[in-house]
């Protein structure tokens, strides 16, 4: 079965470089820094996005466990996880996004 990449017709960034990924995230979404990458040899950011007015639909896939810190608090994020659960830390709490659970 072929793996579907969401928003594949709207590529923004595809890179194996952590530094290029930070620049791409910041340019496309918000000021962000990559705090930790578990395995730099497996790191890859694939980002696709489309803007609809002031709303952006974004697809991100990382090749390994990656911790990101977004510096701009003036956004609302609705996150749906893929086959690998994603932990989102917000302020003093955290939420896990997976195929069964979304986080906002």
């Amino acid at each position: 079965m072929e793996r579907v990449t969401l928003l594949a017709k709207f590529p923004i960034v595809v890179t194996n470089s952590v530094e290029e990924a930070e620049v791409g995230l910041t340019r496309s979404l918000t000021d962000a820094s990559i705090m930790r990458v578990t395995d730099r040899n497996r790191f890859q950011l694939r980002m696709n996005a489309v803007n609809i007015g002031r709303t952006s639909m974004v697809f991100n896939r990382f090749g390994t466990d990656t911790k990101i810190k977004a510096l701009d608090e003036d956004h609302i994020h609705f996150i749906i996880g893929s086959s690998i659960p994603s932990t989102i830390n917000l302020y003093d709490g955290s939420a896990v996004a997976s195929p069964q659970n979304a986080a906002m």
Side-chain angles (χ1 to χ4, degrees), residues 34-102:
I34 296 177
M35 307 299 290
R36 183 189 73 234
V37 174
T38 300
D39 183 350
R40 286 182 80 94
N41 293 324
R42 290 183 45 220
F43 179 82
Q44 181 187 57
L45 169 62
R46 175 175 299 276
M47 176 192 282
N48 302 331
V50 63
N51 293 322
I52 304 166
R54 293 184 50 174
T55 301
S56 298
M57 294 179 60
V58 182
F59 166 83
N60 291 332
R61 176 177 287 145
F62 295 92
T64 188
D65 184 33
T66 304
K67 181 177 181 180
I68 298 170
K69 181 176 183 180
L71 305 175
D72 186 356
E73 299 175 3
D74 192 28
H75 290 83
I76 297 173
H77 301 275
F78 179 69
I79 302 165
I80 302 170
S82 63
S83 59
I84 301 171
S86 300
T87 302
I88 296 88
N89 296 307
L90 301 170
Y91 308 106
D92 294 332
S94 65
V96 176
S98 70
Q100 293 78 29
N101 299 304

Side-chain angles (χ1 to χ4, degrees), residues 14-26:
V14 177
T15 184
N16 294 329
S17 164
V18 172
E19 295 75 20
E20 286 179 18
E22 272 188 341
V23 170
L25 287 166
T26 296

